[in-house]
Amino acid sequence: MIQGLEAEYQALGTTAGAYDDWHDGRDPAGITTQDPELSARLDPLIAGRKLANFLSVLTLETQTIARACGKSHVHNLEPEDLVALTVEAAAMARVSACRHELDSGFGMSLRLRCL
């Protein structure tokens, strides 16, 4: 029985017996807590604005990456457009790695060439 529970804990990225403030409903950021004192730390309007800003910037960054790949829309990105910037990341993600080449001249340009 304990081995089965341990597998469930490991699936969550933790281990049985590990203490975390969130397990007791005492999230110090006030996001997932039921404690009125801790939940007072979170202003929902500010948190909502920060989340909206994050999603907006994420969208703009994704659009920039799509344009850099020569695509007219994010939906046109293909799996072949995905490359890793380090050998370690390439191994973990199982995608091609790229080599950086910095050209010096009248303007600095960075070229990525797939290995």
Side-chain angles (χ1 to χ4, degrees):
M1 178 72 175
I2 296 211
Q3 291 176 344
L5 290 176
E6 183 61 28
E8 289 182 31
Y9 276 105
Q10 287 180 355
L12 295 171
T14 186
T15 184
Y19 174 78
D20 198 80
D21 290 340
W22 292 269
H23 293 151
D24 285 342
R26 303 221 9 108
D27 173 9
I31 298 170
T32 62
T33 187
Q34 299 301 315
D35 183 331
E37 183 179 320
L38 291 174
S39 63
R41 296 179 180 185
L42 179 71
D43 182 344
L45 292 176
I46 293 173
R49 287 186 190 122
K50 288 181 177 183
L51 178 61
N53 183 58
F54 171 75
L55 294 174
S56 176
V57 170
L58 186 63
T59 301
L60 292 172
E61 291 288 335
T62 305
Q63 291 169 346
T64 301
I65 290 169
R67 282 192 298 274
C69 290
K71 307 295 180 170
S72 61
H73 197 277
V74 171
H75 292 160
N76 296 334
L77 286 170
E78 303 286 337
E80 295 79 26
D81 296 323
L82 182 64
V83 293
L85 298 179
T86 66
V87 174
E88 295 83 5
M92 287 187 288
R94 296 185 179 132
V95 297
S96 299
C98 281
R99 179 170 47 127
H100 308 276
E101 292 182 6
L102 187 60
D103 292 338
S104 59
F106 288 110
M108 300 290 275
S109 64
L110 177 67
R111 286 186 302 186
L112 297 176
R113 293 176 46 192
C114 293
L115 299 176

